[in-house]
């Protein structure tokens, strides 16, 4: 029943907000800030440095009346999720209008750009993965939205999953995927842990929730994401303590070949 700082997992290292990062320009002209970065997920040396399998987890904006320059990544693939604003994406032979809830997956080797013709900024969340040697990517972007999907109920008691429906199924280099998740008002998910080989990230999209994380109770705000420590020692669950709807962007990446490897604790 007591806390032991010398052995307890410091969960504050695993949750971070983009406001705490320095802005950089990337992906053809988006202004981006890191949320989570590369590091050792068992022994992070700084806040948010916990990513083992993906390269970057960021928030980006495209300013009003601004376009990005065409961009191409030879050995990287990028998932974009639109959280607010309107715009357009052009890639290969495809052009599509963008709004909140739209997902775009850009495969390696394909040129693309974003356009914002409105008077409001376009806000995106960005996940970058490096491709493995010999990987053969898709030849066109994947466009999707969760709004027309049939909800799936019952995961961890209270999670309501809203799958993203794509026109072309994304071909990730890692065994991973994304789902939008909601929890009904005044409800709580089942606390549970994860172990090695799992990279699971929850980004708050809408609402301000309570997060049960290890032996702490934290606030989670929109734009803030956490990774569950892969040590089977940190139970987590999100709590909707309000009468308002809440949304999270879930990313699950599984490497079962790493689950049984012995690593130094």
């Amino acid at each position: 029943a007591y806390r032991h700082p010398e052995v307890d997992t410091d969960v504050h290292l695993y949750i971070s907000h983009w406001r705490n990062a320095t802005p950089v320009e990337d992906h053809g002209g988006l202004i981006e800030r890191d949320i989570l970065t590369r590091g050792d997920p068992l022994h992070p040396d700084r806040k948010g440095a916990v990513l083992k399998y993906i390269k970057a987890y960021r928030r980006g904006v495209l300013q009003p009346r601004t376009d990005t320059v065409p961009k191409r990544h030879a050995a990287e693939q990028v998932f974009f999720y639109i959280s607010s604003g309107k715009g357009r994406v052009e890639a290969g032979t495809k052009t599509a209008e963008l709004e909140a809830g739209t997902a775009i997956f850009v495969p390696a080797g394909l040129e693309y750009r974003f356009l914002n013709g409105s008077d409001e900024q376009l806000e995106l969340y960005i996940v970058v993965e490096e491709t493995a040697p010999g990987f053969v990517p898709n030849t066109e972007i994947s466009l999707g939205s969760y709004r027309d999907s049939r909800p799936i109920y019952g995961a961890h008691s209270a999670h309501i999953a809203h799958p993203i429906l794509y026109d072309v199924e994304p071909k990730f280099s890692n065994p991973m995927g994304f789902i939008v998740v909601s929890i009904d008002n005044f409800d709580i998910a089942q606390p549970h842990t994860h172990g090695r080989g799992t990279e699971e990230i929850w980004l708050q999209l809408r609402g301000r929730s309570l997060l049960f994380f290890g032996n702490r109770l934290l606030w989670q705000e929109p734009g803030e994401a956490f990774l569950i420590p892969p040590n089977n020692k940190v139970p987590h669950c999100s709590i909707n303590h309000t009468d308002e709807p809440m949304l999270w962007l879930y990313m699950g990446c599984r490497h079962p070949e790493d689950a049984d490897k012995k690593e130094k604790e």
Side-chain angles (χ1 to χ4, degrees):
Y2 296 95
R3 291 194 171 101
H4 301 278
E6 68 278 6
V7 296
D8 289 345
T9 301
D10 183 0
V11 295
H12 293 92
L13 294 172
Y14 293 84
I15 182 168
S16 186
H17 199 289
W18 60 261
R19 285 195 301 260
N20 300 322
T22 302
V24 297
E25 185 176 318
D26 204 351
H27 297 101
L30 298 177
I31 305 302
E32 303 181 11
R33 293 177 186 250
D34 286 324
I35 302 176
L36 302 173
T37 59
R38 278 274 175 87
D40 183 348
L42 291 175
H43 308 283
D45 60 1
R46 64 187 185 280
K47 188 176 178 66
V50 294
L51 301 178
K52 180 178 180 178
Y53 301 114
I54 62 173
K55 181 179 180 180
Y57 197 104
R58 295 175 171 174
R59 180 255 196 185
V61 297
L62 182 60
Q63 297 299 330
R65 305 293 175 180
T66 304
D67 305 336
T68 64
V69 299
K71 193 72 175 177
R72 185 196 310 266
H73 310 287
E76 292 181 2
Q77 307 197 116
V78 192
F79 172 89
F80 299 94
Y81 180 88
I82 309 299
S83 57
S84 67
K86 294 182 181 296
R88 191 165 79 253
V89 62
E90 296 177 352
T93 60
K94 278 188 176 182
T95 299
E97 299 300 316
L98 306 175
E99 62 179 2
T102 304
I104 310 102
F105 176 71
V106 180
L110 186 67
E111 187 175 273
Y112 67 95
R113 69 170 181 153
F114 290 98
L115 305 92
N116 182 3
S118 74
D119 293 323
E120 298 180 359
Q121 71 178 17
L122 182 69
E123 182 183 35
L124 317 87
Y125 289 105
I126 305 161
V127 180
V128 182
E129 69 159 356
E130 295 175 324
T131 54
F135 176 77
V136 180
N138 285 351
T139 58
E140 58 182 323
I141 60 172
S142 302
L143 296 162
S145 176
Y146 74 93
R147 297 185 181 279
D148 296 324
S149 65
R150 171 179 282 185
I152 301 171
Y153 297 87
H156 296 295
S157 302
H159 291 163
I160 304 171
H162 306 265
I164 298 173
L165 301 179
Y166 298 96
D167 59 347
V168 176
E169 194 63 29
K171 186 179 178 183
F172 295 101
S173 181
N174 283 278
M176 59 191 276
F178 296 84
I179 297 174
V180 174
V181 176
S182 63
I183 294 177
D184 282 342
N185 59 300
F186 217 71
D187 206 350
I188 179 174
Q190 173 196 26
H192 60 286
T193 65
H194 291 298
R196 295 185 180 93
T198 299
E199 193 158 81
E200 183 172 303
I201 298 171
W202 290 80
L203 168 74
Q204 187 99 31
L205 292 171
R206 184 195 305 164
R208 183 173 187 251
S209 68
L210 283 168
L211 170 63
F212 172 54
F213 204 21
N215 57 15
R216 300 288 177 174
L217 191 61
L218 309 176
W219 289 111
Q220 188 182 9
E221 300 180 359
E224 195 168 30
F226 67 91
L227 178 140
I228 295 89
N231 58 14
N232 277 325
K233 296 179 180 178
V234 181
H236 73 282
C237 73
S238 295
I239 305 167
N240 184 351
H241 62 294
T242 75
D243 288 326
E244 301 297 326
M246 290 187 181
L247 287 179
W248 291 262
L249 179 64
Y250 162 91
M251 189 209 82
C253 182
R254 302 286 187 270
H255 281 264
E257 71 278 8
D258 290 343
D260 297 327
K261 288 182 180 179
K262 291 185 178 180
E263 301 181 40
K264 289 183 179 180
E265 293 291 345

